[in-house]
Each structure stands twice: as C-alpha cells, then as structure tokens.
Amino acid sequence: MKHPNRKIMLEVLKLAKEKKSVACFVLRGNTVVTRATTTVFDRDGLPTGHAEINAIEKTCRKLKRHDLEGCWLYSSLECCPMCAAACCWAELDGVVYSADGNDRKRGAKFDDWIFVKPEQIFQKRKNAPKLVKHFMRKDGKKALNWD
C-alpha cells in the first residue's frame, strides 16, 4: 500500500468523529491490524491512554512482538511528545496525521500540549519513522468538532 492513503485516513476520521475522540489505526501491509481511540477520560483514567499508545500496545500484543517495523500509524490528530517518542521506540515505518494540535478549539484543557512537535522527536532518532503531516487536514479539523 502506498502511504499516505486517503481511504484509510477517511476511516480513521470517521471513527474519531463517532467516538468524539482522537482515533488511530496501525497498518501492516494492506491490513488494518488495530484501531484505537483515546481512553484517558473514559476507560481507565490513565494519562498515557492516548490513541497512539493504545494502538501501539494493541498491535504489539496482537503481533506478539515489541517492534512494529513494516507498520504505519495513522492518527486523526498530531502526536504529542509522548506518542511521538513511542512511535520511535516501536520502530514504526511511518506516521501519518491529519489535524494539527493548533487546530483544536482554544480554551481546551491541554491547549499547550504541543510544546515539542513530532518532527523534533523524530529527528533525534537515526531510523525514525517517516512523517506525513497534515494529510487531509481540512477533514481532520471537522473530525475534531466534537460538540
């Protein structure tokens, strides 16, 4: 499969809109291995329950391996520093995100969460994932409209 993929991102954004959450898929080849959303506020209240972390953990368990070489992560929203670092640790081939952290409504609890951009994390790693920023951003902004 060629990345970025419009059909996959449309599915990610549909899930984000339905769940009123950040959504994330991990693909291996042409197959969606896992789908995940943010669970910080609903399932377990853990601050690490971001969609990207949840998707990486589910994929590692499903594939029974700690590295996700050969996999791509698609997210409805730009990765925070924690998630960007997890993408590096997981050895993903690439990351595609739609909406930018600045596309979120002002006044949200975590307005200032993007104090370090994903590319700043990725550039510190020799074999960092490829990064595709703002893919289908207009659609991604709509998916952030959770009211």
Side-chain angles (χ1 to χ4, degrees):
M1 176 179 290
K2 187 175 187 243
H3 300 284
N5 183 286
R6 185 171 170 73
K7 181 181 174 196
I8 296 297
M9 186 56 83
L10 283 171
E11 289 182 43
V12 170
L13 297 176
K14 180 180 176 189
L15 180 61
K17 189 94 169 155
E18 284 174 8
K19 297 292 185 176
K20 297 184 178 183
S21 179
V22 176
C24 189
F25 288 11
V26 174
L27 283 79
R28 186 171 188 205
N30 294 329
T31 305
V32 175
V33 178
T34 56
R35 294 168 170 83
T37 57
T38 298
T39 57
V40 172
F41 301 108
D42 50 47
R43 185 183 72 198
D44 45 29
L46 295 174
T48 55
H50 292 203
E52 298 91 338
I53 301 291
N54 291 338
I56 288 169
E57 287 179 354
K58 283 172 67 175
T59 305
C60 287
R61 282 190 201 99
K62 193 169 186 175
L63 298 178
K64 295 183 169 100
R65 44 190 278 210
H66 70 277
D67 71 278
L68 299 180
E69 195 174 323
C71 296
W72 278 74
L73 183 141
Y74 279 69
S75 182
S76 60
L77 183 63
E78 176 181 25
C79 297
C80 74
M82 173 183 67
C83 293
C87 290
C88 288
W89 278 101
E91 299 183 53
L92 290 160
D93 283 4
V95 173
V96 180
Y97 72 81
S98 184
D100 188 280
N102 293 319
D103 296 334
R104 297 176 57 178
K105 289 182 180 173
R106 296 294 108 211
K109 185 174 182 181
F110 299 103
D111 259 356
D112 60 350
W113 67 281
I114 294 290
F115 51 89
V116 177
K117 295 289 195 179
E119 55 267 27
Q120 292 173 283
I121 304 282
F122 288 7
Q123 69 185 351
K124 303 280 185 191
R125 176 140 171 106
K126 190 188 291 184
N127 296 318
K130 293 179 182 103
L131 180 63
V132 179
K133 306 184 298 184
H134 305 130
F135 183 64
M136 298 174 55
R137 188 175 184 180
K138 185 177 176 185
D139 297 294
K141 286 180 182 182
K142 289 179 189 171
L144 281 177
N145 233 347
W146 301 331
D147 295 332

